[in-house]
């Protein structure tokens, strides 16, 4: 695929997809900022907050695989639009809860509604972009996560402080519904439906993809693949660390700077994510350029583990913040590389099932993680234990990365084809 054609496809698809993912993550995690006021009003203690956060991922994990298989069958445009409108309505409905039990139910339903969005987008990229571009593209997509915190944390903090936590949920849910409608009318399912491609461009794109697409296999080939299970375990470490940061960071910052106020807390929370954007984009681009997936994944996991350890052991607020910056950089740098792996050896229904299985199994850590983190925080009165637990978990997954041969180039090529020698 020529560079001008690749730029054209990126320009047409990525802005809407990335904007949708930014809103997705805001609506998934803004409960963390709301808890600064909501907890006292509805009687939600730290352990209960952990249960509410984990309830989302129960519904999410249950529906990931069937949702992605439906997307592959009916098309990305219809299914992603359905996902977005449904999660927007449910996220806005969080403003109506008045008891912890109601919050648990809404969060569970929100997880069901959103299931399939992220793995669906990863699968969608495989319909449009060659393998040599996917880690960079996934990094660009997932840069939406730290960007969502850069934008939303200060805005959410201001809304909670100046208006109410209920207003925050309603205001931040509206873009999901609007963008969901836009997806229905704008997003083409496959190159064959893209009216903005010429016949020559369409033929070039499809020929390039056909040369490298693995043979079509049934869904069970993705569900029973040992490499998929290893990738899911590695990803679970990133997920555990991610939701320690995204859901509990406002409370950590409040402990470190108790007089900052909600707006100030939101601004401080944005700092780790600014560095994470840079790390994610640089790591993904360098991984694509060198063809080395496992080595980059190993380095990112080690950086994340070291950051969590520093944050857990330090007592000075600025050192804790420095540790959180390193943890965020490593965590976010690892994810696009992790999710670029399944489509290098799976396609079609097998890829749909495999990607969804990775995301579903990885988010088991998000089901168990927030309740454990909430309980540890309530029991100890601090976040040192959860931070050290996150560092240890990420370090354990790093052992799996090393076992895949991250330091041996010949083995790396067995795990993921080296694009430099692939003839593409």
């Amino acid at each position: 695929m020529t560079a001008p054609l690749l730029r054209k496809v990126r320009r047409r698809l990525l802005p809407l997809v990335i904007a949708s993912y930014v809103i997705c993550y805001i609506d998934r995690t803004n409960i963390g900022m709301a808890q600064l006021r909501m907890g006292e009003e509805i009687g939600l203690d730290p352990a209960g907050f952990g249960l509410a956060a984990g309830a989302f991922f129960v519904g999410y994990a249950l529906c990931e695989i069937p949702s992605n298989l439906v997307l592959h069958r009916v098309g990305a445009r219809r299914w992603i639009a359905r996902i977005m409108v449904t999660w927007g309505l449910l996220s806005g409905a969080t403003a109506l809860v008045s008891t912890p039990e109601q919050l648990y139910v809404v969060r569970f339903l929100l997880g069901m509604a959103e299931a399939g969005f992220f793995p669906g987008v990863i699968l969608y990229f495989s319909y449009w972009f060659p393998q040599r571009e996917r880690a960079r593209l996934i990094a660009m997509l997932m840069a939406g996560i730290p960007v969502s915190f850069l934008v939303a944390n200060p805005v959410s903090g201001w809304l909670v402080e100046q208006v109410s936590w209920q207003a925050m949920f309603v205001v931040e849910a509206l873009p999901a519904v609007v963008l969901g409608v836009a997806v229905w009318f704008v997003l083409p399912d496959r190159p064959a439906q893209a009216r903005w491609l010429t016949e020559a461009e369409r033929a070039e794109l499809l020929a390039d993809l056909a040369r490298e697409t693995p043979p079509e296999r049934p869904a069970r080939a993705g569900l029973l693949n040992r490499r998929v299970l290893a990738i899911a375990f590695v990803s679970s470490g990133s997920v555990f660390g991610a939701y320690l940061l995204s859901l509990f960071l406002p409370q950590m910052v409040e402990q470190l700077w108790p007089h900052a106020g909600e707006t100030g807390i939101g601004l401080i929370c944005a700092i780790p994510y600014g560095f994470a954007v840079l790390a994610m984009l640089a790591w993904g681009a360098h991984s694509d350029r060198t063809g080395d997936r496992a080595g980059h994944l190993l380095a990112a996991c080690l950086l994340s583990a070291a950051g969590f350890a520093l944050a857990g052991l330090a007592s000075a607020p600025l050192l804790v913040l420095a540790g959180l910056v390193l943890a965020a950089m490593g965590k976010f740098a690892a994810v696009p590389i992790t999710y670029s792996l399944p489509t290098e050896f799976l396609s079609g229904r097998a890829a749909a099932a495999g990607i969804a299985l990775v995301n579903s199994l990885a988010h088991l850590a998000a089901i168990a993680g927030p309740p454990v983190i909430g309980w540890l925080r309530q029991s100890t009165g601090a976040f040192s234990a959860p931070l050290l637990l996150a560092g240890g978990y990420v370090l354990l997954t790093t052992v799996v990365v090393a076992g895949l041969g991250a330091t041996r180039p010949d083995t790396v090529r067995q795990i993921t084809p080296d694009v430099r020698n692939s003839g593409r």
Side-chain angles (χ1 to χ4, degrees):
M1 186 187 302
T2 61
L5 176 55
L6 187 60
R7 284 195 298 269
K8 182 177 182 178
V9 175
R10 283 200 300 250
R11 205 166 48 240
R12 289 283 188 164
L13 300 182
L14 291 186
L16 179 57
V17 172
I18 292 174
S20 299
Y21 193 57
V22 169
I23 299 304
C24 164
Y25 222 79
I26 290 173
D27 288 346
R28 180 189 298 188
T29 60
N30 57 8
I31 187 177
M33 192 64 70
Q35 171 65 3
L36 298 175
R37 294 282 181 90
M38 178 180 67
E40 184 178 346
E41 291 187 22
I42 71 171
L44 191 71
D45 60 22
F49 173 75
L51 287 173
F56 171 94
F57 297 104
V58 176
Y60 186 82
L62 286 173
C63 297
E64 281 281 83
I65 294 172
S67 179
N68 220 31
L69 290 173
V70 171
L71 182 146
H72 182 64
R73 183 183 181 90
V74 307
R77 178 179 64 87
R78 295 179 181 86
W79 199 243
I80 290 177
R82 192 285 303 163
I83 289 173
M84 294 185 67
V85 172
T86 309
W87 102 51
L89 294 174
L90 283 165
S91 183
T94 312
L96 303 176
V97 304
S98 58
T99 68
E101 292 74 20
Q102 291 174 358
L103 181 62
Y104 301 153
V105 171
V106 171
R107 292 290 295 179
F108 174 79
L109 294 175
L110 181 61
M112 291 183 67
E114 193 197 299
F117 178 79
F118 175 71
V121 170
I122 303 302
L123 181 65
Y124 183 68
F125 282 169
S126 73
Y127 301 156
W128 289 87
F129 297 101
Q131 290 175 2
R132 61 182 177 272
E133 296 291 329
R134 289 178 197 163
R136 187 179 319 174
L137 288 166
I138 296 171
M140 293 171 67
L141 170 70
M142 299 201 69
I145 299 176
V147 166
S148 73
F149 287 105
L150 281 169
V151 174
N153 273 332
V155 173
S156 298
W158 183 87
L159 285 168
V160 171
E161 185 175 29
Q162 300 298 325
V163 189
S164 67
W165 59 268
Q166 293 94 336
M168 183 206 72
F169 280 118
V170 172
V171 169
E172 294 182 353
L174 290 174
V177 177
V178 173
L179 287 178
V181 174
V183 164
W184 179 273
F185 288 104
V186 173
L187 198 70
D189 286 322
R190 304 262 188 159
Q193 286 83 47
R195 297 178 181 176
W196 37 267
L197 287 175
T198 67
E199 287 300 323
E201 289 172 335
R202 186 177 294 110
E204 178 186 345
L205 192 158
L206 292 173
D208 196 16
L209 291 173
R211 279 194 296 270
E212 64 176 27
T213 301
E216 176 76 38
R217 300 169 70 188
R220 65 177 179 274
L223 297 176
L224 302 176
N225 190 290
R226 286 181 296 176
R227 282 182 287 179
V228 168
L229 297 176
I231 292 165
F233 178 66
V234 172
S235 183
S236 70
S238 293
V239 167
F240 187 94
Y243 290 105
L244 172 56
L245 292 176
S246 60
L247 295 171
F248 293 90
L249 186 58
Q251 297 172 55
M252 293 186 215
V253 172
E254 186 181 39
Q255 281 195 344
L256 296 170
W257 287 279
H259 304 296
E262 282 84 356
T263 303
I265 289 170
L267 291 170
I268 295 169
C269 286
I271 294 172
Y273 295 103
F275 286 94
V277 171
L278 301 177
M280 180 182 292
L281 295 175
W283 236 276
H286 196 263
S287 174
D288 276 344
R289 191 160 55 248
T290 62
D292 176 10
R293 302 298 194 211
H296 285 74
L297 186 56
L298 175 63
C301 289
L302 288 173
L303 180 63
S304 180
F308 280 121
L310 175 60
L313 295 172
S315 55
L318 288 179
L319 275 179
V320 175
L321 183 61
L324 294 173
V325 167
L326 294 177
M329 290 174 66
K331 179 268 166 206
F332 284 105
V335 175
I337 299 171
T338 304
Y339 280 95
S340 72
L341 296 176
T343 56
E344 296 197 347
F345 55 89
L346 297 172
S347 67
R349 288 178 60 81
I355 295 166
L357 182 65
V358 167
N359 211 40
S360 184
L361 293 180
H363 279 81
L364 293 178
I367 295 173
V372 170
I373 293 165
W375 176 79
L376 285 172
R377 188 259 171 131
Q378 185 166 310
S379 301
T380 64
F383 281 100
S384 296
L387 288 165
L388 292 173
L389 177 61
Y393 191 176
V394 174
L395 190 60
L396 179 61
T397 66
T398 306
V399 174
V400 174
V401 178
L404 291 176
T407 59
R408 299 191 300 277
D410 55 329
T411 311
V412 169
R413 282 193 290 270
Q414 292 172 16
I415 300 165
T416 57
D418 188 336
V419 297
R420 293 168 297 176
N421 301 322
S422 64
R424 290 193 293 273

